[in-house]
Amino acid sequence: NAGVMQNPRHLVRRRGQEARLRCSPMKGHSHVYWYRQLPEEGLKFMVYLQKENIIDESGMPKERFSAEFPKEGPSILRIQQVVRGDSAAYFCASSAEKRGSPLHFGNGTRLTVT
Amino acid sequence: RKEVEQDPGPFNVPEGATVAFNCTYSNSASQSFFWYRQDCRKEPKLLMSVYSSGNEDGRFTAQLNRASQYISLLIRDSKLSDSATYLCVAPLADSWGKLQFGAGTQVVVTP
């Protein structure tokens, strides 16, 4: 049973480019979460999605960031016009339908903006 | 007050010793809690779930104190491989699925 799959593992973008991070949840999981971890800081919640719905995006920056979880295919976190401050590790996690279920994390995508 | 608060440490622990640390949470309605460990900024991995008064798994024991709103993690017979950052996780108020992570407690087990 494959775990949460994220790709790419490492992503380098120049300032102003777009970054697309992908996440496939564990089999049977319909809830996806994105967290960001800046260097020397803790995990910060960004967004919580179910299939075709954004449930909570209170942690998403108001501009340049968007997320989706389409009916078919992986969840995508998209960052437009990246800046150096976007450099971080972006972790995706998934959970089962049952309330109170723990999160299972992918390996993360390390984004470096040059 | 932060919603989930942890002592950042580091806790320097001799191999074989016992170490314990707490995590306080602000949402009194929280029902489920988790401890994760994170190594060298890799992905967090679930260590234990805490749904009632406590949970024990081998050398690890987690306890929940609802009156004082904290959970604790105790590690017995520490191994070098226990060196990691331990993250406390609690659900946020009025949020079905949004889990708040603490900043983590660093544990360093020394030979």
Side-chain angles (χ1 to χ4, degrees), chain A residues 34-102:
Chain A
W34 286 93
Y35 286 80
R36 176 166 66 173
Q37 189 168 33
L38 295 168
E40 308 307 320
E41 292 190 14
L43 285 165
K44 302 293 185 196
F45 169 82
M46 297 183 75
V47 62
Y48 162 38
L49 310 103
Q50 294 179 27
K51 281 287 186 180
E52 299 184 279
N53 287 306
I54 297 175
I55 307 302
D56 184 340
E57 58 180 347
S58 57
M60 288 277 273
K62 293 289 185 285
E63 297 176 347
R64 303 189 296 108
F65 284 72
S66 62
E68 62 176 6
F69 189 16
K71 186 176 180 180
E72 302 290 338
S75 175
I76 305 288
L77 179 67
R78 182 183 178 204
I79 311 172
Q80 295 177 290
Q81 299 175 330
V82 296
V83 301
R84 288 226 172 95
D86 297 333
S87 297
Y90 292 84
F91 291 103
C92 172
S94 70
S95 72
E97 184 76 28
K98 182 182 175 184
R99 182 169 186 161
S101 296

Side-chain angles (χ1 to χ4, degrees), chain B residues 89-105:
Chain B
V89 185
L92 291 176
D94 302 324
S95 173
W96 191 98
K98 184 175 169 183
L99 296 177
Q100 180 68 42
F101 282 75
T105 295

Side-chain angles (χ1 to χ4, degrees), chain A residues 11-17 81-88 110-114:
Chain A
L11 183 61
V12 179
R13 285 288 179 266
R14 286 196 295 272
R15 278 183 299 170
Q17 291 185 319
Q81 299 175 330
V82 296
V83 301
R84 288 226 172 95
D86 297 333
S87 297
R110 273 81 178 160
L111 172 65
T112 302
V113 179
T114 62

Side-chain angles (χ1 to χ4, degrees), chain A residues 35-38 40-45 91 103 105, chain B residues 1-9 21-26 30 32-38 41-45 71 84-92 98-106:
Chain A
Y35 286 80
R36 176 166 66 173
Q37 189 168 33
L38 295 168
E40 308 307 320
E41 292 190 14
L43 285 165
K44 302 293 185 196
F45 169 82
F91 291 103
L103 303 186
F105 283 84
Chain B
R1 181 184 177 185
K2 290 183 180 178
E3 290 173 18
V4 179
E5 207 152 3
Q6 295 185 248
D7 182 341
F21 40 90
N22 294 338
C23 163
T24 58
Y25 60 92
S26 61
S30 296
S32 53
F33 305 86
F34 308 96
W35 281 105
Y36 283 74
R37 67 172 282 167
Q38 188 175 27
R41 306 187 70 75
K42 293 182 179 178
E43 77 276 18
K45 293 187 177 178
I71 60 173
T85 297
Y86 290 84
L87 306 174
C88 170
V89 185
L92 291 176
K98 184 175 169 183
L99 296 177
Q100 180 68 42
F101 282 75
T105 295
Q106 185 182 8

